[in-house]
Amino acid sequence: MQQTWRLSATELARLIRCRELSAREVADQALARLETVNPLINAVVAYRPQEVRAQADAIDAALARGEDVGMLAGVPVTTKINVDQQGFATSNGVTLQRDLVATANNPVVDNLRKAGAVLLGRSNAPAFSYRWFTSNLLHGHTSNPHDRAITPGGSSGGAAAAVAAGIGAIAHGTDIAGSIRYPAYACGVHGLRPTIGRVPAYNPSLPDRVIGAQITAVSGPLARSIADLRLALKAMAQPDARDPWYVPAPLEGPVREKRAALCLRPDGLAITPAIESALRIAAQRLTEAGWQVEEIDTTPPLAEAAELQTKLWLADGYDAMLAAAEREGDPGALACLHGNRDLAQGIDLAGFSKILTRRATLTRQWQLFLDDYAVLLLPVSAELPFPDQLDLRDQPSFRRVWQAQMPQVAIPFMGLPALAVATGRVGRVPVGVQLVAGRYREDLCLAAGEAIEAGGGAIAPVDPVA
């Protein structure tokens, strides 16, 4: 019998639409895969088999009636526990929200359903989605399926671990400081952070987010192929009037010259030899695919943008965030907030205004830079995926983590799209690179990502290491 959980979303949707496979068969195999491997990694923390099968049966019935079931016809997809999915708790990994059961869907969940996805389960995240490691007091710890000694990433660590292990063909994640890109990098899959406003967002179960999150946080897909990211983005990016920041920009922009900038050490970032090797391999693959790659010494400000993004993310409501983390008692959330206290605490209205003003200046500089280059190739992180829970070891380890992640943290400050592309492994440890393009030019990231992907092998689901 064909193992349908190994297939790409693109192939699954085609086979189900042609009725060469039934959505029910695919759902049954997805559930069987989940129940086989999830106990080893704890990537999915809530799922309801009867509801999964009912969704699949509805797809098959619609196909039998000759109806269009959508671009994701029957594809199993996981959703992260920080977005509303009707009937499930929007826990965000905290016991304080364990009973916050959504009565309506977040727009991204509605869009996935309208596109014909079968929602397979809810993926784990660190408490409050604060960290690049995934554990919490409510749902427990998520492991990397490649190697339990390294982080699965965060905050979409459950999403990345699930799709890497063949639990669903696509995973939904969110990203305010690398939370799609880093888990994808750590788990050896691809992850796309769309432009702010590309994918509509709103949690009916909660008050509106503070302004920093409104203008920097996004939902986006993780998958084992770039083609699946493109398909998932199209599904996720459908309009929804509930999001005032939504922009109905075309998914394909004007043709650009295939010109890429390669920056190994933006703002003097100290990278390891393995990271430099991955970047040079990716650049070579681009060159072989007809891209002109120009190595540059630095980019418009990244380190400054990362510091300002941390302030924008954490300063607005810092005292309330800290009080909630203290009530929760989660050590990872407390480490994040205590470790960034000097940046986040005590910023007044004038200081906050200066941050937003500087955001306009830096965004302009980046837009002008990305007028010259279709994409920028740079590190996801300065290091290979960290030892798991490294940020809790001591203060030097905490600072090491945050310094290494600078290229991820900075990009959301300008609202730019970015793509983490898996390029291979160093031993058992995944490695990859990051691509950045101008606003609403995810298509350029994906085009360059496909060229890099084509130069390596296809990503197959991994059996988790016990």
Side-chain angles (χ1 to χ4, degrees):
M1 183 176 67
Q2 185 178 29
Q3 293 179 311
T4 60
W5 53 268
R6 291 187 175 276
L7 299 179
S8 70
T10 305
E11 182 69 359
L12 281 173
R14 184 189 68 80
L15 292 170
I16 292 170
R17 273 196 300 271
C18 295
R19 302 182 72 182
E20 294 181 32
L21 285 175
S22 70
R24 178 60 179 270
E25 177 185 358
V26 171
D28 283 341
Q29 287 208 33
L31 287 166
R33 178 65 176 175
L34 187 159
E35 290 167 354
T36 298
V37 301
N38 195 59
L40 295 172
I41 56 176
N42 192 39
V44 172
V45 295
Y47 71 105
R48 295 171 186 162
Q50 186 173 353
E51 292 183 15
V52 172
R53 293 186 174 103
Q55 293 175 63
D57 289 344
I59 295 288
D60 288 333
L63 284 168
R65 295 190 297 269
E67 297 174 6
D68 180 6
V69 295
M71 66 189 83
L72 291 179
V75 172
V77 178
T78 59
T79 61
K80 189 175 173 182
I81 54 173
N82 66 345
V83 298
D84 282 349
Q85 181 177 333
Q86 187 175 9
F88 287 85
T90 308
S91 71
N92 204 11
V94 297
T95 61
L96 301 172
Q97 293 179 200
R98 73 195 319 159
D99 298 320
L100 185 68
V101 177
T103 58
N105 289 329
N106 185 292
V108 71
V109 175
D110 271 338
N111 282 344
L112 288 167
R113 290 298 306 272
K114 290 173 187 175
V118 170
L119 303 184
L120 180 60
R122 305 279 281 165
S123 62
N124 203 17
F128 304 99
S129 294
Y130 279 162
R131 302 168 63 215
W132 293 293
F133 307 82
T134 296
S135 63
N136 59 65
L137 301 178
L138 178 61
H139 300 301
H141 176 262
T142 296
S143 295
N144 191 313
H146 290 274
D147 187 340
R148 298 176 68 86
I150 61 172
T151 179
S155 62
S156 305
V163 80
I167 304 173
I170 293 168
H172 158 269
T174 62
D175 190 313
I176 196 172
S179 288
I180 288 172
R181 292 161 288 152
Y182 189 66
Y185 170 78
C187 288
V189 296
H190 311 306
L192 176 67
R193 173 200 155 81
T195 310
I196 189 71
R198 170 66 81 186
V199 176
Y202 168 61
N203 273 338
S205 68
L206 291 162
D208 276 318
R209 300 171 296 175
V210 296
I211 191 63
Q214 288 187 40
I215 62 176
T216 62
V218 300
S219 280
L222 301 89
R224 296 186 299 271
S225 77
I226 301 295
D228 284 358
L229 291 184
R230 182 179 282 108
L231 179 66
L233 177 65
K234 185 177 181 181
M236 291 179 174
Q238 297 304 306
D240 192 299
R242 292 175 292 174
D243 184 357
W245 295 101
Y246 177 77
V247 177
L251 288 168
E252 297 286 334
V255 174
R256 290 283 305 272
E257 181 185 4
K258 289 184 176 182
R259 187 167 182 238
L262 165 64
C263 190
L264 299 173
R265 299 174 179 84
D267 280 346
L269 182 72
I271 61 172
T272 65
I275 304 306
E276 178 170 353
S277 176
L279 287 163
R280 294 202 180 279
I281 288 170
Q284 181 62 33
R285 292 178 186 176
L286 284 173
T287 300
E288 292 169 355
W291 286 72
Q292 176 189 345
V293 180
E294 179 183 338
E295 186 168 346
I296 60 176
D297 292 331
T298 193
T299 65
L302 263 186
E304 179 190 2
E307 180 175 317
L308 293 175
Q309 172 63 8
T310 305
K311 292 180 178 179
L312 188 61
W313 171 28
L314 298 177
D316 191 1
Y318 176 81
D319 290 340
M321 293 179 192
L322 183 58
E326 288 173 342
R327 288 197 303 275
E328 180 69 13
D330 184 89
L334 289 168
C336 174
L337 293 171
H338 288 151
N340 287 295
R341 184 192 301 271
D342 291 344
L343 284 177
Q345 196 171 46
I347 296 178
D348 59 12
L349 181 59
F352 203 75
S353 177
K354 287 180 180 178
I355 292 172
L356 293 174
T357 302
R358 187 61 177 158
R359 180 176 182 265
T361 302
L362 294 187
T363 302
R364 182 179 303 109
Q365 291 179 21
W366 274 89
Q367 285 291 94
L368 290 169
F369 173 76
L370 291 165
D371 267 353
D372 289 335
Y373 299 99
V375 296
L376 167 66
L377 174 63
L378 75 167
V380 178
S381 174
E383 301 186 26
L384 292 171
F386 303 118
D388 204 9
Q389 309 300 313
L390 177 64
D391 62 337
L392 299 183
R393 188 175 297 172
D394 50 37
Q395 187 60 22
S397 298
F398 179 88
R399 294 265 48 101
R400 168 186 160 189
V401 168
W402 276 77
Q403 289 165 6
Q405 306 294 68
M406 180 271 285
Q408 298 165 55
V409 180
I411 297 303
F413 188 66
M414 286 75 66
L416 299 170
L419 171 66
V421 183
T423 57
R425 288 191 281 183
V426 180
R428 291 198 310 194
V429 179
V431 67
V433 299
Q434 181 172 204
L435 293 162
V436 177
R439 286 181 295 176
Y440 307 104
R441 295 310 309 265
E442 294 88 355
D443 58 323
L444 297 176
C445 287
L446 294 168
E450 279 184 324
I452 294 170
E453 175 188 46
I459 297 173
V462 299
D463 290 326
V465 177

